[in-house]
Amino acid sequence: KETAVGNFEVLSVYPNPANGFFMVEVDAEANAVLYNVAGQTVKTQNLQIGQNRMDIADVAPGVYVLSISLKNGVTKRSRVIVY
């Protein structure tokens, strides 16, 4: 479970490494974008306050960057490993 503190009071991404899905927990509405190592968008999802499930069953194994952006422009990034 990875937690980052900043302009989000809590940002959790778990399980990590993930297989099939991972959970994203935020304390404000946000937009999530999952990028591959080439910088291509793999998945996008709107996040609600609380726990959000992001399905990745169709995502190839590898290392990805999850970018979570608030409506005010603040962005946090987290590495996600898919197996």
Side-chain angles (χ1 to χ4, degrees), residues 10 13-14 16 26 32 39-40 43 45 61 63 71 73 78 81:
V10 176
V13 179
Y14 58 92
N16 194 6
V26 293
Q40 299 167 318
K43 289 271 184 189
Q45 183 171 322
V63 178
K71 293 180 181 182
S78 179
I81 300 170

Side-chain angles (χ1 to χ4, degrees), residues 10-73:
V10 176
L11 165 62
S12 299
V13 179
Y14 58 92
N16 194 6
N19 184 8
F21 75 95
F22 59 88
M23 302 298 292
V24 181
E25 187 173 346
V26 293
D27 65 353
E29 290 183 4
N31 184 51
V33 181
L34 189 66
Y35 296 99
N36 63 19
V37 292
Q40 299 167 318
T41 300
V42 177
K43 289 271 184 189
T44 61
Q45 183 171 322
N46 290 323
L47 303 177
Q48 302 301 316
I49 295 171
Q51 293 183 341
N52 299 268
R53 179 184 169 117
M54 197 157 186
D55 289 312
I56 54 168
D58 58 340
V59 173
V63 178
Y64 295 84
V65 174
L66 179 65
S67 178
I68 299 176
S69 302
L70 292 177
K71 293 180 181 182
N72 67 6

Side-chain angles (χ1 to χ4, degrees), residues 3-11 27 70 74-76:
T3 302
V5 178
N7 290 313
F8 295 105
E9 284 191 26
V10 176
L11 165 62
D27 65 353
L70 292 177
V74 175
T75 300
K76 295 285 184 181

